[in-house]
């Protein structure tokens, strides 16, 4: 996964407590992680301290970084200063690994976004060691 | 706190019960963070020394869950008479930022599962827009069909002198209103107001001596499928599919027996998903169902006869008003919006982001 160094970000950031922090730290190294249960095989995202299917301790696996848009919206009004640059696209992305991920979808004309379109992940750092995952057309 | 108190005063006076008879109290922090109206603080403020208390907070549908809990508590003899209150001065305190301004106004780190969404700039409206888009994609639902929901509910608002907006609107008005988050327009979204409401629930024996013929709780059920929108298992289906049939089953009724529905209309799409979940129409058929006019005044399922959240009032957690309007209809106090011969009413609340759904079935007649 491509990593964009962007330390200018002034908006809200993830707190990164517990497993969340491991996810965002891996993203800063270009790895898109999801969790898989060693006991029952269940895969999940967001990361947690237990498997939601069987309560075992999940392990990390690396996802391919590809996906398709499950649904999306174009945000045209939002009163938060950090998001003054409108419109922008937010999407739920289905990963071939079997989980769904939420994130910003960039590098595309908002009007051209369609459900089912293939996308790929990239990471954008928000501090020296952590990055958020975004999506762009594949 | 004052909104809770005003509503409590009116509800107690309306039913004519002695305040000292109240031995159960149920509420939730309706005013949001910083309002100081959590259940224990409010019990003290209102002077209720309860034997039973519940502060369940599942968002806007909390009050449907409260009815379920309070009914069980009364049946079990934990208490006899429960006061449920809600109050919010959200508009006064926060302005209209809730829908499109978000809770997160600066660069504070976001903890918990919201850190997977808030830092991307997800407004409340945007979360519901995700569901609306998916429903359109899978079932061909149109903005015009969603608009019909807002138009029908506005018609009822026109009969309610207390409604925030009462002037009639057309489908074109909705479609021409500003796009907030595709595909939801401004008029697909609820209003933002202050407000409050209260309920008194008691035993049949005590109710017999009060001012009004009682309305009975025939069924009450709740369920949660997720909390954050990004965890919604299927964006076209809400938990009403589970708790709707369960509550109607307890009541021994089917959708055909419901005379009026009070559905949580935070957004037009919320109502559409609820209609399908409750089984008022088939899955994916919500769009054509609303277009047939069932929800309108004189239709087969008059919905949100007080003007709903889309046009009347929405102080943040609207579930209590669904119950209040259902009771008014069953008492025959619906005024110009009265549904003729209303005997069974259904209230369905949605809390969170289409997350925690509570259904209550109320009836005029004693459950058999």
């Amino acid at each position: 996964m491509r990593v964009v160094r962007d330390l200018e970000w002034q908006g809200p950031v993830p707190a990164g407590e517990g497993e969340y922090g491991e996810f965002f730290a891996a993203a800063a190294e270009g790895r898109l992680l999801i969790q898989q249960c060693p006991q029952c095989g269940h895969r999940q995202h967001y990361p947690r301290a237990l498997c939601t299917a069987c309560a075992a301790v999940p392990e990390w696996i690396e996802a391919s970084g590809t996906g398709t848009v499950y649904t999306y919206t174009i945000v045209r009004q939002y009163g938060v200063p950090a998001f003054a640059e409108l419109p922008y696209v937010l999407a739920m992305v289905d990963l071939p690994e079997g989980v769904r991920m939420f994130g910003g979808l960039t590098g595309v004309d908002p009007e051209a976004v369609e459900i089912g379109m293939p996308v790929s992940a990239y990471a954008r750092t928000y501090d020296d060691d952590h990055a958020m995952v975004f999506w762009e057309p594949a | 706190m004052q909104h809770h108190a005003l509503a409590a005063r009116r509800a107690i006076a309306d039913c004519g019960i002695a305040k000292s008879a109240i031995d159960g109290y149920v509420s939730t922090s309706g005013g949001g963070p910083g309002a100081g109206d959590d259940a224990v603080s409010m019990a003290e403020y209102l002077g209720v020394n309860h034997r039973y208390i519940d502060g369940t907070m599942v968002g806007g549908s909390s009050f449907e869950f409260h009815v379920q809990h309070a009914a069980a508590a009364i049946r079990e003899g934990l208490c006899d008479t429960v006061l449920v209150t809600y109050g919010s001065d959200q508009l006064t305190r926060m302005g209209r930022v809730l829908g499109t301004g978000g809770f997160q106004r600066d660069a504070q780190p976001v903890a918990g599962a919201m850190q997977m969404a808030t830092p991307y700039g997800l407004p409340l409206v945007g979360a519901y827009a995700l569901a609306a888009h998916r429903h359109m994609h899978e079932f061909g639902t149109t903005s015009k069909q969603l608009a019909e929901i807002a138009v029908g509910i506005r018609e009822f608002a026109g009969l309610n002198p207390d409604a925030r907006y009462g002037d009639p609107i057309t489908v074109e008005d909705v479609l021409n209103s500003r796009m907030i988050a595709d595909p939801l327009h401004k008029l697909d979204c609820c209003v933002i107001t202050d407000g409050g409401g209260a309920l008194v629930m008691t035993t049949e024996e005590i109710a017999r001596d009060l001012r009004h013929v009682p309305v009975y709780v025939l069924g009450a059920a709740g369920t949660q499928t997720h909390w954050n929108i990004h965890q919604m298992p299927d964006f076209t289906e809400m938990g009403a599919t589970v708790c709707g049939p369960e509550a109607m089953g307890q009541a021994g009724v089917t959708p055909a027996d419901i005379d009026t529905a009070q559905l949580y209309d935070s957004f037009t799409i919320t109502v559409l998903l609820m209609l399908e979940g409750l089984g008022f129409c088939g899955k994916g058929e919500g769009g054509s169902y609303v277009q047939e006019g069932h929800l309108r005044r004189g239709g087969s399922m008059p919905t949100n006869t007080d003007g709903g959240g889309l046009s009347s009032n929405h102080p943040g957690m609207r579930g209590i008003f669904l119950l209040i309007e259902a009771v008014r209809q069953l008492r025959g106090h619906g005024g110009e919006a009265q549904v003729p011969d209303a005997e069974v009413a259904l209230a369905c609340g949605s809390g969170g982001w289409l997350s925690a759904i509570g259904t209550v079935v109320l009836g005029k007649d004693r459950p058999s």
Side-chain angles (χ1 to χ4, degrees):
Chain A
M1 181 169 61
R2 182 166 68 90
V3 180
V4 179
R5 306 290 299 175
D6 174 16
L7 299 179
E8 301 300 305
W9 177 238
Q10 296 295 312
V13 296
E17 73 276 19
E19 292 75 21
Y20 294 109
E22 296 175 43
F23 172 83
F24 295 118
E29 295 166 357
R31 291 180 299 129
L32 179 63
L33 298 186
I34 60 171
Q35 288 183 319
Q36 178 171 282
C37 178
Q39 189 169 292
C40 75
H42 174 71
R43 289 176 177 172
Q44 63 188 25
H45 177 78
Y46 54 92
R48 296 157 161 101
L50 88 173
C51 167
T52 57
C54 77
V57 180
E59 292 172 348
W60 294 106
I61 59 168
E62 193 171 339
S64 60
T66 62
T68 56
V69 173
Y70 170 76
T71 188
Y72 72 99
T73 185
I74 307 171
V75 179
R76 298 185 190 268
Q77 181 185 336
Y78 195 22
V80 178
F83 302 102
E85 219 169 286
L86 296 159
Y88 56 88
V89 181
L90 300 174
M92 292 293 312
V93 176
D94 276 332
L95 276 57
E97 289 80 8
V99 301
R100 198 170 283 154
M101 225 174 252
F102 178 79
L105 174 54
T106 65
V108 59
D109 172 9
E111 307 290 343
V113 176
E114 281 179 357
I115 289 176
M117 79 183 258
V119 290
S120 51
Y122 71 95
R124 215 156 81 188
T125 58
Y126 58 86
D127 65 26
D128 286 336
D129 306 311
H130 299 91
M132 282 162 58
V133 174
F134 285 78
W135 299 86
E136 58 193 354
Chain B
M1 287 191 160
Q2 288 78 9
H3 285 291
H4 284 266
L6 176 61
R9 238 160 55 201
R10 287 180 179 169
I12 290 167
D14 176 70
C15 72
I17 198 156
K19 180 173 173 297
S20 56
I22 295 167
D23 59 354
Y25 180 66
V26 180
S27 186
T28 186
S29 190
D37 66 338
D38 52 277
V40 280
S41 299
M42 281 317 304
E44 175 189 274
Y45 184 98
L46 298 168
V48 177
N49 295 330
H50 49 81
R51 297 162 62 208
Y52 172 76
I53 188 163
D54 173 20
T56 297
M57 159 59 193
V58 293
S61 57
S62 295
F63 310 96
E64 281 68 37
F65 285 72
H66 291 167
V67 167
Q68 180 196 30
H69 300 174
I74 292 169
R75 268 200 306 270
E76 283 297 309
L78 300 180
C79 60
D80 290 324
T81 302
V82 175
L83 173 67
V84 185
T85 71
Y86 167 63
S88 161
D89 57 353
Q90 156 191 290
L91 175 63
T92 305
R93 280 196 313 132
M94 298 168 66
R96 291 187 170 79
V97 301
L98 185 65
T100 59
F103 304 94
Q104 194 70 36
R105 298 201 56 82
D106 49 30
Q108 293 293 318
V110 184
M114 282 181 80
Q115 70 191 287
M116 308 309 291
T118 305
Y120 294 105
L122 177 65
L124 189 64
V125 188
Y128 289 81
L130 292 170
H133 247 165
R134 185 69 199 183
H135 201 278
M136 289 176 166
H137 173 78
E138 283 192 32
F139 304 109
T141 308
T142 64
S143 288
K144 233 171 129 173
Q145 291 170 331
L146 289 178
E148 164 60 29
I149 295 170
V151 172
I153 291 172
R154 176 63 66 89
E155 192 181 332
F156 279 119
L159 306 174
N160 175 1
D162 294 328
R164 178 72 184 83
Y165 297 107
D167 294 338
I169 51 170
T170 64
V171 166
E172 284 66 39
D173 290 335
V174 180
L175 300 182
N176 291 332
S177 66
R178 194 167 70 247
M179 191 69 92
I180 306 291
D182 300 43
L184 297 181
H185 306 78
K186 179 170 178 273
L187 292 179
D188 285 301
C189 307
C190 63
V191 301
I192 295 179
T193 65
D194 295 343
L199 305 167
V200 175
M201 291 174 64
T202 190
T203 64
E204 188 178 13
E205 198 186 347
I206 294 172
R208 217 175 281 142
D209 296 329
L210 300 179
R211 277 187 59 218
H212 298 285
V213 175
V215 161
Y216 294 90
V217 177
L218 305 183
T223 191
Q224 175 176 336
T225 48
H226 60 285
W227 184 245
N228 293 276
I229 189 71
H230 52 80
Q231 297 298 303
M232 189 164 177
D234 176 345
F235 278 57
T236 67
E237 191 168 305
M238 62 154 68
T241 51
V242 175
C243 67
E246 194 181 335
M248 285 184 269
Q250 291 168 15
V253 300
T254 67
D257 300 315
I258 309 291
D259 298 309
T260 175
Q262 309 301 329
L263 308 181
Y264 204 98
D265 56 347
S266 45
F267 300 92
T268 50
I269 183 65
T270 319
V271 175
L272 191 100
L273 295 181
M274 213 170 256
L275 292 167
E276 294 182 4
L278 292 167
F280 291 180
C281 60
K283 172 145 183 175
E285 293 167 6
S288 49
Y289 178 81
V290 300
Q291 237 169 3
E292 287 161 12
H294 297 284
L295 274 47
R296 297 263 193 148
R297 192 180 180 204
S300 68
M301 189 64 74
T303 295
N304 296 359
T305 46
D306 64 341
L310 286 168
S311 286
S312 176
N313 71 322
H314 200 314
M317 295 168 63
R318 197 169 188 277
I320 201 155
F321 303 111
L322 309 173
L323 297 158
I324 291 170
E325 179 62 12
V327 168
R328 282 165 43 86
Q329 285 287 341
L330 294 174
R331 282 180 180 175
H333 294 174
E336 279 191 77
Q338 180 64 44
V339 175
D341 307 317
E343 289 180 356
V344 181
L346 179 144
C348 186
S350 168
W353 294 262
L354 304 164
S355 322
I357 314 300
T359 305
V360 175
V361 181
L362 299 173
K364 218 168 155 173
D365 294 331
R366 194 179 190 287
S368 43

